[in-house]
C-alpha cells in the first residue's frame, strides 16, 4: 500500500497535470491487487478482514479511474463558447418573458447552469459501471 501511495504522489500526480496516467502507479496498483487476490485467510475473522480490505481496494481502483478520467478531460475554447452562448440565451429568455428583476434572472440562469453541469457530469465524468463494461 505504501508503494502505491508513493507512486501516486511522485509520478501519478505530475502525470495527471498533462492528462496522463503513470505506469509506475499502475504497476504498483497491479502488485497490490495481486497480493490481495492471492491471500488465503486461515479463519473466519481473517476471511472477514480480507473481504473488507478487498472492498476498500476496489474503491481505490474505482477512485483512480475516476481521478484519471477527470484529469484527462480538458476544457477547450469550444466548451467556453458553449457556456457563454448558453448563459446569454438564458438571460435573453428571461428578458423576453419579462422576469421582473435581475435577481430572478440570475437565479434562473444559475438553475439552468446547474442542470447543464449535472448533465455533463452524468454523460462525461461518471465512470461506466463494471457490470455494463462486461456486457
Amino acid at each position: 500500500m505504501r508503494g502505491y501511495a508513493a507512486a501516486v504522489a511522485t509520478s501519478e500526480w505530475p502525470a495527471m497535470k498533462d492528462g496522463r496516467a503513470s505506469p509506475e502507479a499502475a504497476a504498483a496498483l497491479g502488485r497490490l491487487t495481486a497480493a490481495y487476490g492471492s491471500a488465503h485467510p486461515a479463519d473466519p475473522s481473517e476471511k472477514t478482514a480480507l473481504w473488507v480490505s478487498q472492498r476498500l481496494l476496489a474503491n481505490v481502483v474505482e477512485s483512480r479511474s475516476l481521478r484519471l478520467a477527470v484529469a484527462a478531460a480538458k476544457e477547450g475554447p469550444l466548451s467556453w463558447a458553449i457556456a457563454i452562448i448558453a448563459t446569454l440565451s438564458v438571460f435573453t429568455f428571461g428578458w423576453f418573458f419579462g422576469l421582473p428583476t435581475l435577481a430572478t434572472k440570475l437565479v434562473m440562469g444559475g438553475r439552468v447552469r446547474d442542470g447543464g453541469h449535472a448533465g455533463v457530469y452524468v454523460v462525461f465524468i461518471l465512470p461506466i459501471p463494471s457490470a455494463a463494461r462486461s456486457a
Side-chain angles (χ1 to χ4, degrees):
M1 186 58 83
R2 287 185 184 125
Y4 172 66
V8 167
T10 59
S11 66
E12 184 109 283
W13 289 343
M16 285 173 52
K17 287 181 185 177
D18 300 325
R20 297 179 295 112
S22 162
E24 294 86 11
L29 187 57
R31 288 189 300 272
L32 188 59
T33 55
Y36 272 92
S38 64
H40 299 289
D43 58 38
S45 63
E46 285 184 9
K47 184 176 182 180
T48 302
L50 180 62
W51 182 83
V52 170
S53 297
Q54 287 172 336
R55 298 289 68 84
L56 291 172
L57 182 60
N59 288 342
V60 168
V61 171
E62 186 175 341
S63 296
R64 179 179 187 261
S65 49
L66 177 60
R67 186 175 65 242
L68 291 174
V70 169
K74 300 283 184 187
E75 290 186 28
L78 181 61
S79 300
W80 281 103
I82 291 171
I84 290 170
I85 290 170
T87 302
L88 291 176
S89 56
V90 167
F91 285 117
T92 303
F93 179 83
W95 170 77
F96 183 75
F97 286 106
L99 293 176
T101 65
L102 177 62
T104 57
K105 292 174 187 172
L106 291 174
V107 168
M108 180 182 165
R111 297 301 100 207
V112 170
R113 181 208 59 215
D114 293 344
H117 284 161
V120 167
Y121 181 78
V122 167
V123 172
F124 295 108
I125 304 297
L126 284 179
I128 299 171
S130 57
R133 268 187 249 141
S134 61

